[in-house]
Amino acid sequence: MAEHGSSRDVVPVGARRPQSWLFALMLALVALMPRGAGAGEAGAVLAPTGVLRVGYIDGNPIHAVRDPRSGALTGIGPALAGELARELGVRLDMIGLRGSEAVVAALGEGRIDMALLADNPVRRREVDFSDVYLLNPQGIAVRAASPLRRIADLAQRPVRIGVSAGDTVGVTLARDYPSVVVVPIEGSGIAGAQAMLEIGAVDGFAAANARLLSLIEAMEGARRLEGDIASTPQALAVRQGRPAAVAVLNAFLARIRADGFLDRTVRVDNARTGAVAISARP
């Protein structure tokens, strides 16, 4: 049954795939860690219930996209989570939550085992991150009549820019653009952002490319400013104090970088998201 404010997709996983030598080596290193750090096989370390519970921000296309006809989840997140579950030999439960704050809370409360999440200094106070696996370009959408034309214009005048509450792009704007007033908008969908733009409560809405595209398609005359704010690093997150789980995730990312799975998966979504895979460990 779905938790309040979430959606769940339990995905059965077939036979366990043969592990690569790199992944097997990393698992051996995990097994040698002290007991308190989470000794044992990777599946028991990361998914002790036998089900890998993966949280993601519902409505964020860089994490997952729901097919309107079949209801199935597609995109980078389900592909990576499904590959990891197969590697570990466990079932997969994709749990969509309303916003990054809900995802972080679910990790802290143990309701999910790991999450798809943008890495930023604020979140590092509450969760631990794997290596970064892709960069996700962020931009700004405005109304047709807006005098703003490019990202550089943000430095020319005070402007109110809406962001989804807790979104990493808000941290970037507050840090790099002193003239910007960041306005949090509840929810991870575009409806709230569209409403705020249409009534003039904000001068623009900042988000990843795929979300901006959805907003521009839904709102007549809306357009994207020229240029990017930044490229947000995406990683896999676990509750703090689980170094063995982080080691398992980094071993998995090393394997899918080495065999090309990561690059192939991200390339499929590149036209929609603009995301770029990180082909080597930073």
Side-chain angles (χ1 to χ4, degrees):
M1 179 179 295
E3 301 175 35
H4 178 68
S6 69
S7 60
R8 305 185 75 141
D9 294 81
V10 179
V11 181
V13 176
R16 188 170 181 166
R17 293 177 55 164
Q19 295 170 349
S20 69
W21 69 268
L22 180 60
F23 194 69
L25 175 61
M26 290 296 288
L27 294 189
L29 294 176
V30 170
L32 292 174
M33 297 178 71
R35 182 176 179 83
E41 289 195 3
V45 168
L46 193 57
T49 64
V51 177
L52 181 61
R53 301 169 300 169
V54 179
Y56 67 96
I57 300 173
D58 197 13
N60 186 340
I62 200 65
H63 291 171
V65 176
R66 189 173 297 281
D67 186 282
R69 293 184 179 179
S70 68
L73 286 179
T74 62
I76 298 170
L80 296 188
E83 182 71 2
L84 176 57
R86 284 189 289 272
E87 191 86 69
L88 299 176
V90 298
R91 289 190 301 124
L92 172 63
D93 187 358
M94 295 290 295
I95 303 174
L97 296 156
R98 295 178 183 173
S100 60
E101 293 169 341
V103 172
V104 170
L107 278 172
E109 295 164 6
R111 291 185 283 115
I112 55 178
D113 302 305
M114 58 169 277
L116 308 167
L117 206 58
D119 185 350
N120 71 43
V122 174
R123 292 174 187 163
R124 280 186 174 269
R125 300 170 191 165
E126 301 181 74
V127 302
D128 289 336
F129 285 97
S130 71
D131 295 334
V132 172
Y133 63 87
L134 68 77
L135 295 177
N136 186 25
Q138 311 285 310
I140 293 178
V142 297
R143 298 183 301 276
S146 172
L148 300 172
R149 296 294 168 186
R150 54 189 65 85
I151 296 295
D153 294 342
L154 298 179
Q156 306 303 317
R157 68 187 79 194
V159 289
R160 299 158 300 167
I161 303 297
V163 302
S164 294
D167 197 339
T168 297
V169 70
V171 177
T172 303
L173 284 169
R175 181 192 65 205
D176 297 343
Y177 297 90
S179 60
V180 169
V181 175
V182 176
V183 181
I185 300 174
E186 294 301 323
S188 56
I190 63 167
Q194 181 177 345
M196 294 281 277
L197 274 172
E198 288 177 339
I199 65 174
V202 294
D203 301 304
F205 176 68
N209 282 346
R211 297 184 65 204
L212 294 184
L213 179 60
S214 296
L215 174 61
I216 290 168
E217 290 174 345
M219 182 176 172
E220 185 176 356
R223 55 183 171 81
R224 189 188 189 282
L225 297 185
E226 295 176 15
D228 294 333
I229 301 168
S231 289
T232 299
Q234 293 286 326
L236 306 175
V238 296
R239 187 177 68 248
Q240 279 192 332
R242 300 183 66 203
V246 174
V248 169
L249 293 177
N250 284 339
F252 167 69
L253 291 174
R255 196 274 290 170
I256 63 174
R257 284 193 183 102
D259 69 11
F261 180 88
L262 176 61
D263 187 63
R264 291 192 301 272
T265 300
V266 174
R267 195 185 308 127
V268 167
D269 262 20
N270 178 267
R272 180 174 57 83
T273 66
V276 177
I278 302 298
S279 57
R281 183 175 180 177

